[in-house]
Amino acid sequence: MKKLLIVLGSIIALFVLTIILVPVLFKDRIVSAVQTEIDKSINAKVNFEPSKISISLLSNFPDLTLGVRDFSITGKDTFEGDTLFSAKDFSVEMDIVAIIKGEPLNIKGIMLDEPLINILVLEDGAANYDITYPSNEEEAEEESTSDEEFKFGIDHWEIKNGRINYYDQMYDMAISLLGVDHTGNGDFTLSVFDMETKTSAKDFSFAYDGDVYVAHKTLKADMLFGMDMNNWKFTFKDAKATLNDFHLNFDGYFAMPTDDYDMDINFSTTDTEFKNVLSLVPGMYADGFEDLETKGEFDFSGYVKGIYSDTKMPGFAVDFIVRDAYVKANDVPLPIEKIAMEMHAKSESGDLKDGFLELKNFGLTIDKDRFTANAVVNNFDSPIWDLSMQGALNLDIISKIEPSEDFKMGGIITANINSKGSYVDVENEDYTKLQTTGNLTMQNFSYTEKDAPNFTITNATMDFNPQSINLTTLKGNYGKSDFNLNGSLSNYIAYAIDENAVIKGNMRLTSTLLDINEMMGVSEEDVAETTEDTTAMEVVVIPKNIDFTFDATTQTIKYDNFEMKNAVGQIKVKDGILTLDPMKVDMLGGSIKMTGLYNSQDEYEPKFDFRLDIAQLSIPETFKNVLTFQKFVPIAEKMEGRFSTDFSINGLLTQEMMPDLPTLSGGGLIKIAQAAVKDSKVIKGVTSLSKLDNTNEVTINDVKVQAEIKDGRLNVKPFDVKMGKYNATIDGSTGLAGDIAYNLKMNVPTGSMGKAANTAISNLLGSNVEAVGSSVNLNFNIGGTYKDPQVKLGKTTTEGGGSVTSSVKEQAADKLNEEKEKLKAEAESKVQAAKDSAKAEAERKKKQAEEEAKKKAEEEKEKLKKKAKNKLKDMFGDGK
C-alpha cells in the first residue's frame, strides 16, 4: 500500500509539474508560431511586448491559454497611426495537443478585457479593417494546405467593458457603443450550428445621413441564431432587444448568398405600456423618470422584406399607434392628456415612389389647449402631401415632463396651418396649384442648449401663403444680442422637402447689440486676455442653400476685440458667400465703409475680398487691434495720429478666422493728415549714425502714401516726412517676419550742422562735408528688423542731385588744375625767358661769329690778294 501511494503521488506530482512546465517549455514555439501567422496574414502593425505574454494550462485545462497585456493593432498607409483594435488583456485558448505534436494552431476561444474597436470606412470604400494580405490564384488552389496550417475552430468568446465605434463615410452612418459586455458561443468548425449571444451596452448612439436617431440609450440584446455557413443564412430563433425600456422581438432571417443582402425580418413590441415608449425620448431616461405618472398603451410593429443592394431597397412597413395616453410629473402642475396618434408608413416594393406615410388623429391637451395634426404623404421620391395643424403647444409643460440634459425649450406656439400640394408643382413654381394658408405665432419661446447662449423669441407672427411666409415681426435675443426681424421668405416648401432646395428671403434687421464673439463661443475673458494675438475662433460656414438679403441697422457689433458702432448697410447671403454691399461702421476712432465678400464655399480655405473706404482711424487703436497692421506696419507701434485710405485687400483666412498673411494682396492710397513717430529704434539708429540734433521725432503732415501688399511684403512708394527740422523722403518695404528694407533720404543744410554731426558725416564721407556746398542729401539704408534695425549711410548727394564724392573730387581737381596752370605759366615764362636769353645770346654769338667770320674773311681775302700778287710776281717778275 505504501509503495502504491508513493507511485500515485509521483504520478500526480509529475502531472502537476507537467502542467506547470509545458507552457514554459513551449512558450518560445507558441510565440514564434503566432508571430509567423501574423507576419504572413496581417498587413498592419501588431503591437505587443514578449515580456507581457503569459501562457497557462491551469486556466482552461486541458487547453492552453495565451494571454497578452496592452495589445493593439494600428493601420498602415492610408490609416497610418489609426487604432483598429486595442485591449488591456487579450487571451486566446488553443489546443495544447496540437502544439505538442507540432500541428497547426487551433484557436478555440477568445477573451477581451476593455477592448477598443474602431472601424472606419472611407468615402471611396477603403476600410481600416481590411488588413489581410490579398490572395492570388495559386494561394486559392493551395487553400487546403493553408487551412491545415492554421485552424479557427473558435467555440466561445467574451468581451468585458468594451468600446466599439463604427463610422461609414460612404453611407454617412455612425454607431457608438460604450460599456459593452458580450458573450457568445458556437461551433464554427461545423457548417450548420446554433450561435447564442448576450450583449449589453451602457451607452448606445446611432446616426444616419447627418441625423441622430438614437442618443445615449442603454441597450440589451439576447440572440439565438441558426447559422447556415454554406448559404450564409442566419435565422432568428429567439431574438430580443431592449432599448432603455422599449422592448422588441425579432423573427425571420438575414442572408448574404451573394454581394446583396436578402432579408425577411419581422419585429414587434412585447410590453405596450405608454411609459416604455417615453423612455426613447431624448433626455427622458434620467432621474425622475420612474416617478412619472402615466397611463395608456401603444402598439409598434413592422417588417423589412426583400433584397438590399446598390440598386434596390427591401420593402418595409411600420405601424405605431398610441391610445388615450396621459403623463404627469410630480413637480409640474398640469398633465399632458388625451395623447393619441396613428402612424403608418410603408413601401411594399421598397421603391421610394411607392412610399406612403399617414399620421392620423395626432392630438394632445394641456390645460384647455388642444393641439391636433393630420398628414398624408405619398411618393417619397416626389412627395404629394395633405397636412394640417391647429391649436396651441405649451412647451414649458412638455419640456418639464420630458427633460433633457442637452437642451431645454419653453414658450407657447399657436398654429392654424393647412397645406396641400405636390413637389412637382413646387419645382415648376406653379404656386396656383398649391393650397397653403394659415398663420403661426410664438410667445416667449426659449431654447437653451448646453454650452451655448440662450435663444429667445419674445413674440413672432408669421402668415403663410403658397408663395411665401410673411414675417410681420420676430423679436428676440441670442444671448446678449438682440434682433428685430421683418420681411418675407419664399421657396420655403421646397426647402422643407428637398435638402438641396434654396430658401430665399428679403428682411430688415435692427439691433442694439450683436455680440459675434458670444455667438461663436468666445468668452469676454478670452477677448480681455488678448494682447498682440487675436482670439482663436472657428470658421463660419455660410449655408449654400440660403439666399437672404438683409437691410441691417445695428448700434453695436462686437467681434474679436473690435467694438463697431452705428453699423448700417446691406448684407447678402447666397451660395455660401456673404457680401457686404456696402456696410458702414464707426470703429477704431474713425469710420469704415466695407464693400466686398467672405466666401466659405471651401470651408478649409475660406477667402475674403474687400474694398475699404477708411476715414480718420486712430493709428494706435488700429495697431493694437489689427494683426495685419501689426505685421506690415510695425513702426505704427510708436505712432500717434490718424489715417484714411481707400484700400483693397484679399486673401485666405485660417481655421481661426484670421488672415493667412502670406496669401494677402492688395493696395491703395493711404492719407495721413497729421501724425508723429517717437522713440522708434529705426529713427534712433539714424540719429546715432548721423549725430544730427532733434531727429528723434518724425512728423507727417498732409501726406499721401501709395502702398501695395504683394508676396508677403508691404511696399510703399516715396513719401515726405519731417525729421526734426530736416526734410526727409522714405520708401521701401516690410516683410511678415518683421524684416525691413527702407531708404531714408534726408536733406541737411551743411551750415546748420553742429560740430559732432559735421565731424561724424565728414568722417563717413572721408572729406569735409562743408566743402560740397550749402546742403547735402543723406541717404540711409535701413535693414535688419524693426526690433533690431541696421542703419547704414548709402550714396550721399548734393542739393542738385550730384554725388558728394564727385563734388569734392571736382573741387580738388580745379585747385590742382589752377596750380598746374600757375606752374605751367611760370614754367612757360621761364622757358620764354630762357628762350629770349638764349636767343639774345645766340644773336650776340651769331653777330660775333658773323663779325669774326667777316674779319677772318677779310683777312683771308687779304691773304689771297697778297698770295695772288706774289704768285703773279713770281710768274712775270716784278710787275712795275
Side-chain angles (χ1 to χ4, degrees):
M1 177 62 74
K2 184 177 180 181
K3 290 182 179 181
L4 178 61
L5 291 175
I6 292 174
V7 171
L8 289 174
S10 299
I11 293 172
I12 293 172
L14 181 61
F15 181 72
V16 172
L17 185 62
T18 300
I19 291 175
I20 296 172
L21 290 179
V22 164
V24 176
L25 295 173
F26 289 92
K27 178 177 179 178
D28 291 341
R29 178 173 177 178
I30 294 168
V31 173
S32 176
V34 171
Q35 186 66 61
T36 299
E37 291 301 328
I38 289 173
D39 294 340
K40 286 168 52 180
S41 307
I42 305 299
N43 182 26
K45 296 178 182 178
V46 180
N47 310 298
F48 66 92
E49 296 181 16
S51 62
K52 293 186 177 183
I53 295 175
S54 62
I55 299 178
S56 172
L57 270 173
L58 298 176
S59 301
N60 296 285
F61 186 80
D63 295 326
L64 181 144
T65 301
L66 173 67
V68 186
R69 296 193 312 277
D70 301 327
F71 177 86
S72 67
I73 301 175
T74 55
K76 291 182 178 179
D77 302 325
T78 303
F79 301 99
E80 180 73 31
D82 293 337
T83 299
L84 169 63
F85 172 83
S86 68
K88 180 180 178 180
D89 282 297
F90 178 24
S91 299
V92 179
E93 290 182 29
M94 294 179 288
D95 185 350
I96 184 62
V97 175
I99 295 173
I100 294 173
K101 291 182 177 180
E103 295 177 352
L105 291 177
N106 183 8
I107 294 179
K108 302 179 69 176
I110 296 176
M111 285 72 69
L112 304 175
D113 187 15
E114 296 186 16
L116 168 63
I117 302 172
N118 279 319
I119 299 175
L120 176 63
V121 181
L122 303 182
E123 291 183 2
D124 61 3
N128 69 336
Y129 58 79
D130 187 10
I131 60 173
T132 57
Y133 286 109
S135 60
N136 53 38
E137 292 182 1
E138 292 181 1
E139 288 176 339
E141 291 176 359
E142 298 173 0
E143 184 176 351
S144 59
T145 304
S146 299
D147 288 343
E148 290 177 0
E149 293 175 354
F150 187 78
K151 293 182 180 179
F152 193 72
I154 185 170
D155 59 18
H156 63 278
W157 55 93
E158 181 178 6
I159 295 174
K160 294 180 181 179
N161 193 24
R163 289 180 294 158
I164 301 173
N165 299 313
Y166 174 84
Y167 180 37
D168 189 330
Q169 293 182 351
M170 287 182 64
Y171 297 103
D172 195 14
M173 180 170 64
I175 298 172
S176 172
L177 292 159
L178 306 178
V180 178
D181 291 324
H182 171 83
T183 59
N185 61 80
D187 191 348
F188 277 84
T189 60
L190 303 176
S191 298
V192 178
F193 61 94
D194 286 345
M195 181 179 73
E196 184 178 13
T197 65
K198 294 182 181 294
T199 307
S200 67
K202 295 177 181 178
D203 189 298
F204 168 58
S205 298
F206 170 73
Y208 178 74
D209 197 22
D211 295 317
V212 179
Y213 291 93
V214 180
H216 309 298
K217 308 299 180 186
T218 60
L219 173 67
K220 292 183 180 180
D222 295 339
M223 304 285 183
L224 178 61
F225 295 97
M227 309 290 286
D228 183 350
M229 304 304 292
N230 292 327
N231 299 302
W232 281 88
K233 182 177 181 180
F234 315 112
T235 303
F236 294 96
K237 289 188 173 182
D238 185 8
K240 300 175 182 177
T242 301
L243 195 63
N244 280 358
D245 280 350
F246 186 78
H247 308 286
L248 279 178
N249 285 351
F250 298 88
D251 63 59
Y253 68 85
F254 178 86
M256 296 182 289
T258 62
D259 291 337
D260 300 337
Y261 304 122
D262 181 19
M263 60 194 77
D264 186 355
I265 303 172
N266 300 295
F267 53 86
S268 61
T269 56
T270 54
D271 298 321
T272 60
E273 288 187 36
F274 180 66
K275 190 172 186 178
N276 293 338
V277 76
L278 276 183
S279 71
L280 297 182
V281 176
M284 179 63 76
Y285 207 67
D287 292 340
F289 176 75
E290 294 298 331
D291 296 329
L292 285 178
E293 181 183 349
T294 65
K295 67 177 182 179
E297 294 182 342
F298 78 96
D299 293 325
F300 181 78
S301 62
Y303 67 82
V304 180
K305 184 177 183 179
I307 302 295
Y308 174 81
S309 68
D310 293 337
T311 58
K312 294 186 67 176
M313 291 283 289
F316 69 90
V318 178
D319 298 305
F320 180 50
I321 300 172
V322 177
R323 293 181 292 273
D324 195 22
Y326 167 105
V327 57
K328 183 182 182 305
N330 291 335
D331 56 348
V332 179
L334 297 172
I336 303 175
E337 301 178 284
K338 299 180 181 178
I339 304 170
M341 69 172 291
E342 285 186 47
M343 191 275 288
H344 307 282
K346 68 177 181 178
S347 172
E348 293 183 356
S349 66
D351 192 330
L352 293 177
K353 292 180 181 179
D354 295 334
F356 170 80
L357 172 66
E358 180 181 32
L359 178 67
K360 292 173 58 178
N361 302 322
F362 175 84
L364 57 85
T365 300
I366 300 175
D367 198 8
K368 297 179 181 179
D369 295 324
R370 180 73 177 167
F371 182 85
T372 61
N374 292 277
V376 175
V377 179
N378 288 285
N379 187 352
F380 296 158
D381 188 50
S382 181
I384 302 169
W385 71 88
D386 183 356
L387 60 88
S388 64
M389 61 180 72
Q390 291 85 28
L393 281 176
N394 189 325
L395 300 179
D396 292 301
I397 301 299
I398 294 174
S399 65
K400 287 180 180 178
I401 290 178
E402 300 181 0
S404 170
E405 294 180 358
D406 299 322
F407 67 90
K408 182 179 179 181
M409 297 177 66
I412 296 176
I413 298 177
T414 303
N416 184 11
I417 300 173
N418 295 279
S419 181
K420 188 175 183 179
S422 72
Y423 188 61
V424 173
D425 295 330
V426 174
E427 288 184 310
N428 296 333
E429 297 185 1
D430 191 356
Y431 297 113
T432 58
K433 293 183 179 179
L434 301 175
Q435 303 174 32
T436 301
T437 59
N439 56 71
L440 184 145
T441 63
M442 304 175 75
Q443 295 291 326
N444 298 320
F445 173 83
S446 65
Y447 181 86
T448 304
E449 190 175 359
K450 193 174 183 180
D451 299 325
N454 295 341
F455 175 69
T456 61
I457 296 176
T458 308
N459 62 79
T461 303
M462 294 169 247
D463 296 321
F464 293 78
N465 62 54
Q467 291 81 15
S468 64
I469 300 174
N470 296 313
L471 188 63
T472 306
T473 182
L474 193 155
K475 187 175 181 180
N477 293 78
Y478 185 68
K480 299 172 186 174
S481 304
D482 63 276
F483 53 87
N484 198 332
L485 278 170
N486 60 75
S488 64
L489 299 173
S490 59
N491 204 42
Y492 69 95
I493 297 177
Y495 180 77
I497 298 172
D498 184 356
E499 63 180 11
N500 296 315
V502 177
I503 187 169
K504 302 177 181 180
N506 285 281
M507 285 173 281
R508 289 168 295 279
L509 168 67
T510 59
S511 171
T512 58
L513 171 65
L514 291 179
D515 192 336
I516 309 299
N517 293 329
E518 185 182 43
M519 294 179 185
M520 297 177 69
V522 180
S523 68
E524 290 185 356
E525 290 77 11
D526 292 334
V527 176
E529 290 173 1
T530 300
T531 54
E532 291 187 0
D533 296 328
T534 49
T535 305
M537 298 187 180
E538 295 180 357
V539 170
V540 177
V541 179
I542 308 297
K544 296 179 182 178
N545 57 349
I546 289 179
D547 183 358
F548 283 176
T549 298
F550 294 95
D551 290 316
T553 302
T554 306
Q555 292 181 17
T556 302
I557 299 175
K558 290 184 177 182
Y559 175 72
D560 198 18
N561 35 4
F562 298 118
E563 184 166 291
M564 296 168 266
K565 298 284 188 179
N566 305 318
V568 179
Q570 190 174 84
I571 304 170
K572 296 180 179 179
V573 178
K574 185 178 182 180
D575 298 329
I577 299 173
L578 183 148
T579 303
L580 303 179
D581 192 25
M583 173 67 73
K584 185 177 181 299
V585 298
D586 295 334
M587 61 184 296
L588 300 175
S591 66
I592 301 177
K593 184 168 73 173
M594 295 176 283
T595 304
L597 59 86
Y598 163 70
N599 185 337
S600 67
Q601 290 176 332
D602 183 350
E603 63 183 276
Y604 298 104
E605 284 194 347
K607 61 187 71 172
F608 69 96
D609 188 350
F610 284 104
R611 181 176 180 83
L612 307 174
D613 183 359
I614 294 174
Q616 295 298 305
L617 254 61
S618 164
I619 294 174
E621 285 296 308
T622 305
F623 182 85
K624 178 182 176 182
N625 293 284
V626 181
L627 176 63
T628 308
F629 207 65
Q630 295 170 12
K631 293 295 184 182
F632 284 125
V633 196
I635 199 169
E637 182 182 19
K638 302 296 184 180
M639 288 182 72
E640 297 290 339
R642 296 179 178 276
F643 75 98
S644 302
T645 184
D646 293 318
F647 206 90
S648 297
I649 187 167
N650 63 77
L652 301 178
L653 293 171
T654 67
Q655 292 299 296
E656 290 77 33
M657 289 295 286
M658 300 310 303
D660 187 4
L661 298 177
T663 70
L664 298 187
S665 63
L669 189 65
I670 302 171
K671 293 164 279 188
I672 305 174
Q674 186 173 6
V677 182
K678 298 180 181 179
D679 299 324
S680 167
K681 288 185 177 181
V682 174
I683 306 305
K684 287 180 179 179
V686 173
T687 301
S688 176
L689 184 63
S690 67
K691 297 295 189 292
L692 292 169
D693 296 331
N694 301 317
T695 56
N696 269 340
E697 180 174 342
V698 176
T699 57
I700 306 171
N701 293 300
D702 196 21
V703 169
K704 295 180 180 179
V705 182
Q706 189 68 44
E708 180 187 30
I709 297 176
K710 186 178 181 180
D711 299 328
R713 298 193 74 84
L714 173 71
N715 301 279
V716 296
K717 293 186 176 180
F719 63 96
D720 297 329
V721 299
K722 196 86 170 175
M723 294 186 66
K725 59 184 178 181
Y726 306 110
N727 295 322
T729 301
I730 300 173
D731 70 285
S733 66
T734 302
L736 289 174
D739 55 304
I740 55 178
Y742 281 93
N743 302 309
L744 188 151
K745 177 181 176 183
M746 184 190 305
N747 183 261
V748 181
T750 54
S752 68
M753 291 188 291
K755 182 178 180 181
N758 194 325
T759 302
I761 295 174
S762 295
N763 289 336
L764 290 170
L765 294 175
S767 63
N768 192 336
V769 71
E770 291 183 342
V772 302
S774 61
S775 68
V776 291
N777 292 320
L778 302 179
N779 290 279
F780 294 95
N781 299 323
I782 305 170
T785 65
Y786 172 70
K787 294 184 180 297
D788 184 20
Q790 305 297 318
V791 182
K792 297 179 181 179
L793 184 67
K795 181 180 178 182
T796 302
T797 60
T798 64
E799 187 173 5
S803 170
V804 166
T805 304
S806 299
S807 179
V808 172
K809 286 181 179 178
E810 287 171 4
Q811 292 188 39
D814 290 344
K815 191 170 183 180
L816 178 61
N817 289 335
E818 185 181 338
E819 292 295 324
K820 285 169 67 177
E821 290 298 323
K822 185 177 178 181
L823 292 172
K824 181 180 178 182
E826 290 177 355
E828 288 177 348
S829 177
K830 290 180 179 180
V831 169
Q832 190 63 40
K835 283 183 178 180
D836 292 344
S837 176
K839 185 176 181 181
E841 181 66 18
E843 288 293 331
R844 185 185 67 78
K845 289 182 177 181
K846 179 180 179 183
K847 188 174 181 181
Q848 182 180 1
E850 287 177 349
E851 290 178 351
E852 289 178 352
K854 185 176 180 181
K855 183 178 179 182
K856 188 174 182 179
E858 288 292 334
E859 289 176 351
E860 289 293 327
K861 185 175 178 184
E862 289 297 324
K863 286 180 178 181
L864 288 174
K865 284 180 177 178
K866 188 176 180 181
K867 186 175 181 180
K869 285 178 177 181
N870 290 331
K871 189 172 182 181
L872 235 111
K873 184 177 179 181
D874 290 341
M875 186 186 285
F876 300 106
D878 188 1
K880 298 178 176 176

